[in-house]
Amino acid sequence: MRIAIISTSPRANSNTLRFCKFVQNVLEESGQHEVTVVDFAEYDLPYVGTVWMKPDTLTTFQDAFISAWGEADLVFFASPEYNWTATPQILNAFHSLGGPAFKHLFENKVFAMAGISNGRGGRQPALDMTTVLNKVISFTNSFSIISPKLYESHETDKNLDADGQFVGHEVYDRTARAFIEYTLTVAQRWNCAPVAVEA
């Protein structure tokens, strides 16, 4: 399966990137998936409403981000919790790309949401990303699904090192892996070919 993992924090070496690397490490254990991580540390999308983005005028970052997302069957979005919501960068991306020129980004995909905190938080950014992305899927008349299981990455810096290696409490490792496994199951069911039923 082709999988994109999007770290939506604009900070370099963020806790969100640690979590995304952890997801990548877990997914690559099986050797069955093609995994790409995109880091928003180089984010340069214009503010929605100021410029119409066009597929033939993309910057290096924009092309890497849109290509990874567009080629994926499954897309993980991870956002830090800023003032009880998702980063403005990812919400701006959903709005800016949610039109005819980039409709393929919202077509026939499974999405999964995670909120990242260095304390006890993360649920609200995952919920807010879900709300906006669901609206864009509907608005573009696309056929995709957002997995119902969210993940709240608590005390991320205490549980994961800079390379996304697990170093913390066993509950973190167990619940994060359960989130990834559940998401893979949803994606496999969504992407399987329909079975013909004989009359």
Side-chain angles (χ1 to χ4, degrees):
M1 187 182 303
R2 293 170 300 181
I3 302 173
I5 308 169
I6 314 299
S7 172
T8 74
S9 172
R11 295 179 179 176
N13 304 313
S14 66
N15 286 330
T16 305
L17 185 60
R18 290 186 184 207
F19 176 78
C20 290
K21 289 179 177 179
F22 171 80
V23 175
Q24 179 184 26
N25 293 338
V26 171
L27 290 171
E28 290 181 343
E29 288 174 356
S30 70
Q32 298 177 347
H33 307 291
E34 180 183 329
V35 183
T36 303
V37 174
V38 176
D39 183 4
F40 270 25
E42 303 298 325
Y43 183 95
D44 63 0
L45 272 68
Y47 290 119
V48 64
T50 62
V51 176
W52 290 105
M53 291 185 62
K54 299 178 181 178
D56 58 349
T57 60
L58 300 176
T59 67
T60 300
F61 169 81
Q62 292 165 10
D63 183 62
F65 171 43
I66 291 168
S67 294
W69 179 352
E71 294 168 5
D73 305 300
L74 167 60
V75 184
F76 287 86
F77 286 108
S79 173
E81 183 168 320
Y82 287 170
N83 295 319
W84 299 282
T85 190
T87 62
Q89 286 81 6
I90 188 54
L91 299 181
N92 181 64
F94 290 157
H95 292 307
S96 296
L97 299 171
F102 298 98
K103 176 179 166 57
H104 68 285
L105 299 177
F106 306 94
E107 190 67 69
N108 196 32
K109 298 189 185 300
V110 172
F111 299 101
M113 305 299 181
I116 314 304
S117 176
N118 61 0
R120 306 292 292 179
R123 183 170 184 78
Q124 198 58 48
L127 289 171
D128 290 348
M129 288 190 294
T130 298
T131 298
V132 177
L133 184 54
N134 258 328
K135 182 59 181 176
V136 175
I137 292 168
S138 172
F139 176 76
T140 56
N141 200 34
S142 299
F143 290 89
S144 286
I145 186 172
I146 300 176
S147 176
K149 185 178 286 294
L150 309 175
Y151 190 70
E152 301 171 50
S153 178
H154 300 308
E155 300 180 338
T156 305
D157 57 335
K158 298 179 180 65
N159 285 293
L160 302 175
D161 69 15
D163 295 318
Q165 297 297 325
F166 169 69
V167 293
H169 197 285
E170 66 85 18
V171 171
Y172 185 99
D173 187 54
R174 175 164 43 84
T175 58
R177 286 176 177 272
F179 163 72
I180 296 167
E181 186 60 35
Y182 182 97
T183 303
L184 284 173
T185 300
V186 171
Q188 288 160 354
R189 292 184 180 186
W190 177 261
N191 287 303
C192 70
V195 178
V197 178
E198 294 183 6

